[in-house]
Every structure is written in C-alpha cells, then in structure tokens.
Amino acid sequence: MSTPANFKSDFLQTLQARGYVHQISHPDELDVAAAQTAEGGAPIAAYIGFDATATSFHVGNLVSIMLLRRLQQAGHKPIVVMGGGTTKVGDPSGKDATRQLLTHEQIQSNIDSLKTTFAKLLTFGDGPTDAIMVDNDEWLSKLGYIDFLRDYGVHFTINRMLTFDSVKLRLEREQPLTFIEFNYMLMQATDFLELSRRYGCTLQMGGSDQWGNILNGVELIRRVDQKPAFALTTPLITTASGAKMGKTASGAVWLNADRLSPYDYWQFWRNTEDADVGRFLKLFTDLPLDEIARLEALQGAEINDAKKVLANEATALLHGRAEAEKAAEAAHAAFVQGGVSADLPSIDVPAAALSPGIPLDTLALDAGLATSKSEARRLAQGGGLRVNDKAEPDATRLITAEDIGEGGVIKLAAGKKKIVLVRIV
RNA sequence: GGGGGAAUGUCCCGAGCGGCAAAGGGGGCGGACUGUAAAUCCGCUGGCUACGCCUUCGUAGGUUCGAGUCCUACUUCCCCCA
C-alpha cells in the first residue's frame, strides 16, 4: 500500500516529507526513473486530470495543483488535463446521485476560467520541463464506439470493474449507476494511454479517491504498450477536527479572486486550526522544511505567528505578494488595531440614500453579511451585528450620515471576522 | 407480475392523535471564554411591506371550518413473494 521512506529522487523525497503521498504503485521503479533525471535523464512527464464542472477551483483542488508545482520544481514536466471530454460523462465518484451533465459551452467557459489558476502556480511553455495543458475532449470526442470497444474494451473485465469502490458503493446501496458513468473509468484509462503515447507521460497523480481509476490506466499502458506507468495519490486533506477543508466565513474557499477576495483567502488560512498549521505549511507553501519545523514548534498564542506566515505565503502563491501584503495589513488594522483599512471588503452607497436613512437590515443584506433581512434581524438580536464596532440589537434602525465614522466610512461587522466597509459615494 | 412499506423544514438525519412554521439531532451562524485556534457553555437556524401576512412536508386532485396527518391517482425508492 503506502510506501517505505528513503527515496533517492528529490521528487519523491519531497512529496513524502511534505505529506503528499498516500499511495504509489511500483514506488521503487518510479523512484529510479525520477532520480535519473538529475543525472541527465529525461524529465518525468506526469499528469493530473481536472474536472471542468465549475468556473473556479476550490481549496480542495489545491493539493493536486501544488503537487504539479512540486513536480515541476523537482525538474519534471507537469501535464494538466482538463476533463472537457470526461466532464461530459461524469465520474460516479461514490456519490449516490447521478451528476448533472453540462453543455459543451458551459464546459468550455469553465475551462477558460480554470486556466487562470494554473498560470499562477505553474510555468507553461515549450521547454522540456514546462507545463502544458490539454483537453481530453480532443481525443475522447473522436473515439468511435466500435473502435473504442475493440481497442480498449477488450482490456477491461466487468468482473474487475465491479470491484472498484466507486462502482461497488453505488451497487451496494442499490442506487442507479448509469452506463455512461460506468464508462468513466475506461475513458480515464484511455486518457493515460493517450498521454503516454503523445507525450511519454508515465505518471498519473490524483486524490486518493482516484486510485482505482488511475490503476486502470497504469495497467492498460503496461499491457497494451509494454511501457512504464505509475500511479501516485494524495491523501484526502481534512482539518484536525475531522471536517473537510474548505469553508470560510464567506462560504466556499474559491481560488479565483473574483469569487473569493485575496483578503478572505488570507483570512481562511489565518483561521487554520492550531493542529493543522505545520501540515498546511508543508502542503501549501514553498517554505523550506526547516523553517516550517521552527514555526511548527511555536506554542500557545505564538502559533498565531505561524498562521500569519501560512496566510501570507499561501496568498502570495495564488494572488501575488502585493495582494498578500495588502490582506495582511487590512487584517492587522481590523483585528489588532481595531480600525479600518482601505483594503477591507466594501460596498458603495450613494450619499443621497443616507438622508432618509437606510434600515440596518437592508444594508447588512446589501453588504452580504446576511442572506435575508430576517437573518440580519436575528443576527442583530443575538448581538452579532455591529456598526462601527458597537453591537446594534435593532436591525430596523435607520443608518444615516451620523453613522459615518473613521475614514469617512461606516464599518459593518457580522461577528468578529466578517467586516464590510460602507463607502459613501 | 403479486403483496407490504417509505418520501418531512431545498445542507443532512429524523419525530410528527386532523388545528403545525411543524419535536429532536448533526451541520451552519452568532454570543461568552481564549490567541482571529481547538474544546466547552449559551442563543439563533422559512420569507415579507413583520403584534399581521405569505410560502413550506414527493406530484396532482379530493374529503373537511381546517390536512404533513384521511381518501384517490401518479412518480421514485426500499422490503417480501413469483
């Protein structure tokens, strides 16, 4: 299953040390291949497939993306496969419900949006270790059914496919598993084979839930082409208290800045549980391990310093150093000094609206601090809604020009962490 | 093919004699304590033009002053017999 330590190659050593490894197939063979690169051998080309079901990635996808980054850092070649073709089919992935199928256009526009994230974390180009991006729709959509069955279908037995968890789970719960979904794993195996032939790709990586799917590809390549092929999966990343990662005060932790601001992204990392700091530093920042060890050793309130480093580094990777610093300063102003900073999230309100005044619940709704006026009122009654740092129990109160405070803005807060500035324009 | 169950607050699980905005969890949010942590304790957890009104219990009808609750048909799922 899992692997002995003591890898020779930089790549696997790093992955092991930083907590990326869950399972590896043929670990020794892969280690040798990876080590040869340093001695003048060819870089390893490795790929990870990504679904194109949303317009932005989520922190849950970040491990995989960072994994490609590590690969490139170790002198190998990352291949990003966008699942334009497989997204048309849908991975059964253990869920009970059949996934909603997306249109061609939706998938394409999702892919365009997702590309921007990769551009920040990987170096693309034509060089031997430059990353490339391909869409599996390119070959999958051209597959003829009869040819597909004859060329690939013969290598898969139903008996075997029925043993995979993704399939087994559905069947055990007697939930429907459609034929289209059942074919997902064949398509993924086909991807790997195709990439092996086109780019000499020898390694497919992914989350631990992809292990079975990846092995199918490994076996297909080894059987059909007698070429080397390897599988490597990452563990499912959860928080120390067992929750799956990826919630913040503002909802899901998106990687695109238009869906989650750098400030909120910074806050997400800043609020990491104590027990997770070291693990997350290793996975989600480029800091050297000895530096991480030092931060990890901090005790008590001092561990907050480590969380700030984590927030700074993780934000800088994704949004750039400048944005990370702005977020850090905004947070410092808001939390340490209790003041306001221009970089906090804000909304604009016309000055004219303040002469009759705006009910607080309406304003809180506009600011995104509540999803309905009723919620805003409840929040206020519970003492969680603040105007200029003063709890305001009456959400129907009119907010007027008299509430304009420091810096010419009105500071609205829901709880201690969600702050929105109301700018008068 | 025959027989018997089930579907509940659009996050999930789940109780519900004909008067129900609907018990109880989980999750989430807010408060207290702390360190913007965890654990713990407390409160909230349909909407609105808000002492009132509107929309919710698989779908569509019906009985009734009144239906989540009774009846009919339909849909989907589970169990038993063939």
Side-chain angles (χ1 to χ4, degrees), chain A residues 259-318:
Chain A
R259 297 195 71 170
L260 186 75
S261 69
Y263 172 81
D264 285 321
Y265 189 71
W266 193 94
Q267 282 296 321
F268 166 72
W269 293 108
R270 175 62 185 81
N271 285 301
T272 297
E273 293 177 30
D274 286 9
D276 289 327
V277 176
R279 199 158 50 100
F280 288 179
L281 280 166
K282 287 180 204 157
L283 287 167
F284 302 114
T285 75
D286 283 345
L287 290 180
L289 288 171
D290 51 357
E291 172 71 2
I292 291 173
R294 188 185 67 75
L295 292 167
E296 206 173 3
L298 295 173
Q299 292 298 315
E302 287 198 323
I303 202 156
N304 283 328
D305 293 336
K307 293 185 191 180
K308 285 176 197 162
V309 173
L310 171 62
N312 285 338
E313 295 303 311
T315 307
L317 275 181
L318 196 62

Side-chain angles (χ1 to χ4, degrees), chain A residues 52-317:
Chain A
T53 46
T55 58
S56 168
F57 286 119
H58 164 123
V59 265
N61 302 303
L62 193 55
V63 192
S64 292
I65 302 173
M66 287 301 291
L67 185 54
L68 287 177
R69 184 177 171 86
R70 302 293 179 222
L71 177 82
Q72 190 164 46
Q73 285 169 340
H76 303 290
K77 184 179 188 69
I79 302 175
V80 175
V81 174
M82 295 312 298
T86 30
T87 299
K88 289 179 187 166
V89 173
D91 185 354
S93 75
K95 293 193 186 110
D96 283 345
T98 297
R99 193 178 278 179
Q100 182 112 39
L101 298 181
L102 300 174
T103 67
H104 220 347
E105 292 68 33
Q106 283 172 317
I107 292 170
Q108 199 47 53
S109 94
N110 286 346
I111 288 177
D112 290 340
S113 176
L114 295 172
K115 276 180 183 171
T116 61
T117 298
F118 290 112
K120 290 172 181 159
L121 294 164
L122 300 174
T123 305
F124 286 85
D126 299 324
T129 67
D130 284 339
I132 56 170
M133 176 181 285
V134 291
D135 182 346
N136 64 9
D137 191 51
E138 204 176 300
W139 54 86
L140 288 180
S141 63
K142 291 186 188 126
L143 281 177
Y145 191 59
I146 301 292
D147 289 336
F148 177 71
L149 290 179
R150 293 176 59 107
D151 293 346
Y152 306 113
V154 292
H155 299 292
F156 295 87
T157 66
I158 298 287
N159 314 52
R160 184 79 200 290
M161 291 202 283
L162 290 176
T163 67
F164 285 105
D165 283 345
S166 57
V167 173
K168 218 164 53 179
L169 277 171
R170 279 281 186 91
L171 294 180
E172 276 171 7
R173 296 186 201 167
E174 306 203 31
Q175 296 291 335
L177 174 72
T178 61
F179 189 65
I180 191 174
E181 294 172 287
F182 192 57
N183 273 273
Y184 186 89
M185 59 178 78
L186 296 209
M187 312 199 77
Q188 194 169 328
T190 307
D191 277 353
F192 197 178
L193 180 61
E194 189 68 30
L195 291 163
S196 167
R197 289 175 177 170
R198 290 188 181 208
Y199 306 107
C201 177
T202 54
L203 170 64
Q204 182 183 174
M205 308 186 289
S208 54
D209 58 328
Q210 294 297 310
W211 180 248
N213 285 342
I214 296 174
L215 279 187
N216 272 327
V218 168
E219 286 170 20
L220 184 65
I221 292 171
R222 287 175 178 258
R223 193 174 309 152
V224 175
D225 287 358
Q226 285 87 47
K227 292 270 182 57
F230 308 98
L232 188 156
T233 54
T234 56
L236 177 68
I237 309 297
T238 56
T239 67
S241 38
K244 67 181 170 206
M245 242 182 117
K247 289 286 273 186
T248 180
S250 329
V253 183
W254 301 105
L255 300 189
N256 282 18
D258 57 351
R259 297 195 71 170
L260 186 75
S261 69
Y263 172 81
D264 285 321
Y265 189 71
W266 193 94
Q267 282 296 321
F268 166 72
W269 293 108
R270 175 62 185 81
N271 285 301
T272 297
E273 293 177 30
D274 286 9
D276 289 327
V277 176
R279 199 158 50 100
F280 288 179
L281 280 166
K282 287 180 204 157
L283 287 167
F284 302 114
T285 75
D286 283 345
L287 290 180
L289 288 171
D290 51 357
E291 172 71 2
I292 291 173
R294 188 185 67 75
L295 292 167
E296 206 173 3
L298 295 173
Q299 292 298 315
E302 287 198 323
I303 202 156
N304 283 328
D305 293 336
K307 293 185 191 180
K308 285 176 197 162
V309 173
L310 171 62
N312 285 338
E313 295 303 311
T315 307
L317 275 181

